[in-house]
Amino acid sequence: MPDTDLDALGLLSEDQADLRRHAAQLSDEDRARVADLAARLSARVGDLELPWPRLFADVRDEPGRPMGLLPLLALVASADAVRRFHATRGLSPEDSASGLRDLGQQVAVHRRTYGEFGLHTQGWLVGVWSGAYFWPGRLAFNLMHDEGRWVIDTHIPETGPLTPAVVDESFARAEALFARHFADHPATELHCRSWLLDPYLAEALPVDSNLVRFQQRWELYGEPEPGDDDAVFFVFRRRDVRAAERRLLPRDTSLQRAVLARVGSERPWQVRRGRIPLTR
Ligand SMILES: CC(C)(COP(=O)(O)OP(=O)(O)OC[C@H]1O[C@@H](n2cnc3c(N)ncnc32)[C@H](O)[C@@H]1OP(=O)(O)O)[C@@H](O)C(=O)NCCC(=O)NCCS
């Protein structure tokens, strides 16, 4: 693997060591595959239209090798293409790096989920690598073309309390960033699609909790989508949990108890979409 700055991509030191170790063991055929995937990722940087292409759909994991290894290496190898695109749009190195650090966050989440090094959210990172994903402050955002207009899609990484003050600050920074650097794609509203917008949350948590106050900012629209899998993944970092295993999950916080009360019930969790008009 070339001498890439993995710190700049947010990879923790133990993940960096594992990545370098596995990269050193690749066959020539695997290296060619990584180069091809990286070229395909680089070629579509700047394409902000949905849907994000499923560039990694036919990349199979091999037994004995970390999940998502080749996509991960392709993402590392194509990060410079994203940086070059950011530079053409006048973004500061800090703003540019903020989105790319999501790679390290995803690898860390993978370790928490599966207990080992790897990546399983490479499909999401294809979108991050489109070049309009940033992490200004507490929340992360990407510019998205939705139903004929540009919106600022909002994401809630698990990095600390979601107080109203940090949310206000992050919204303001995101709005300014996109207005300045993507003025040719003027966004008319903030958008969020999340299980955290399920109105049930307001029944289960105190009205003055950060989560309920965050939820109350959004005007809901569109049809509800199934949300049980997201609720379990984001609170417990587990995938494909069966009913018998759910009984063993911790119930230490009100959110954990609320999630488990509904998963698999007749009133399951919902993913909802919400919007906040921009007043500029
Ligand atoms: C968003 C988030 C940071 C909010 O945390 P917060 O500001 O601490 O939330 P609140 O103060 O409103 O917490 C209310 C209750 O939920 C609990 N809680 C919040 N987040 C929790 C989490 N990730 N795991 C377990 N319990 C959690 C709190 O401990 C509190 O319960 P308690 O009073 O019994 O202690 C946190 O919920 C989180 O990281 N969620 C996962 C990320 C996510 O779902 N993103 C959306 C993807 S679509």
Side-chain angles (χ1 to χ4, degrees):
M1 191 168 83
D3 189 19
T4 310
D5 182 358
L6 296 178
D7 281 334
L9 296 174
L11 281 132
L12 302 175
S13 53
E14 66 175 331
D15 294 331
Q16 295 189 20
D18 279 348
L19 181 58
R20 292 192 191 282
R21 186 163 54 83
H22 287 288
Q25 295 165 4
L26 289 189
S27 65
D28 288 346
E29 193 187 333
D30 286 333
R31 277 184 230 282
R33 191 77 205 279
V34 169
D36 175 58
L37 291 168
R40 289 206 267 157
L41 279 166
S42 302
R44 64 161 302 277
V45 172
D47 178 1
L48 309 182
E49 303 281 334
L50 287 178
W52 292 339
R54 299 181 66 235
L55 288 184
F56 300 127
D58 61 347
V59 184
R60 298 274 163 264
D61 288 320
E62 284 188 17
R65 206 154 75 172
M67 227 189 271
L69 180 66
L70 300 192
L72 174 50
L73 286 164
L75 287 155
V76 171
S78 54
D80 271 344
V82 185
R83 291 190 187 99
R84 283 194 295 274
F85 171 69
H86 288 163
T88 66
R89 294 225 159 227
L91 284 143
S92 69
E94 295 74 33
D95 283 333
S96 172
S98 72
L100 293 170
R101 277 198 291 271
D102 203 64
L103 182 66
Q105 169 92 352
Q106 297 301 321
V107 174
V109 163
H110 181 94
R111 195 182 279 280
R112 281 184 54 201
T113 306
Y114 292 102
E116 59 190 25
F117 169 73
L119 178 71
H120 71 285
T121 48
Q122 53 266 41
W124 157 259
L125 287 164
V126 172
V128 173
W129 255 231
S130 65
Y133 178 93
F134 303 97
W135 200 336
R138 174 64 186 84
L139 299 166
F141 305 88
N142 69 286
L143 194 60
M144 178 172 104
H145 201 235
D146 182 53
E147 297 176 1
R149 74 246 195 273
W150 290 98
V151 302
I152 299 174
D153 200 19
T154 305
H155 309 283
I156 310 134
E158 185 186 1
T159 53
L162 199 62
T163 61
V166 295
V167 173
D168 285 342
E169 194 227 356
S170 205
F171 279 175
R173 284 177 60 183
E175 196 179 334
L177 184 154
F178 288 111
R180 179 161 178 207
H181 300 287
F182 294 86
D184 51 338
H185 300 324
T188 50
E189 58 191 40
L190 290 163
H191 172 276
C192 184
R193 177 181 170 278
S194 176
W195 74 279
L196 289 176
L197 299 192
D198 184 334
Y200 172 76
L201 210 56
E203 295 173 32
L205 296 183
V207 68
D208 61 349
S209 62
N210 291 333
L211 281 167
V212 172
R213 287 202 283 181
F214 177 77
Q215 176 179 95
Q216 285 170 344
R217 294 170 183 262
W218 300 90
E219 173 203 332
L220 297 187
Y221 71 102
E223 291 302 311
E225 300 166 66
D228 274 2
D229 289 347
D230 277 7
V232 171
F233 176 62
F234 285 107
V235 171
F236 299 102
R237 293 304 180 191
R238 297 284 303 273
R239 297 280 195 200
D240 305 321
V241 180
R242 286 193 291 269
E245 293 170 282
R246 279 204 300 274
R247 282 198 285 277
L248 304 174
L249 292 174
R251 290 163 196 265
D252 301 328
T253 74
S254 52
L255 187 64
Q256 290 171 339
R257 292 189 290 275
V259 166
L260 293 172
R262 281 187 74 200
V263 169
S265 76
E266 287 179 0
R267 197 181 164 210
W269 284 92
Q270 301 177 343
V271 168
R272 297 299 307 265
R273 299 170 80 191
R275 58 183 159 213
I276 301 174
L278 294 175
T279 48
R280 239 178 318 114

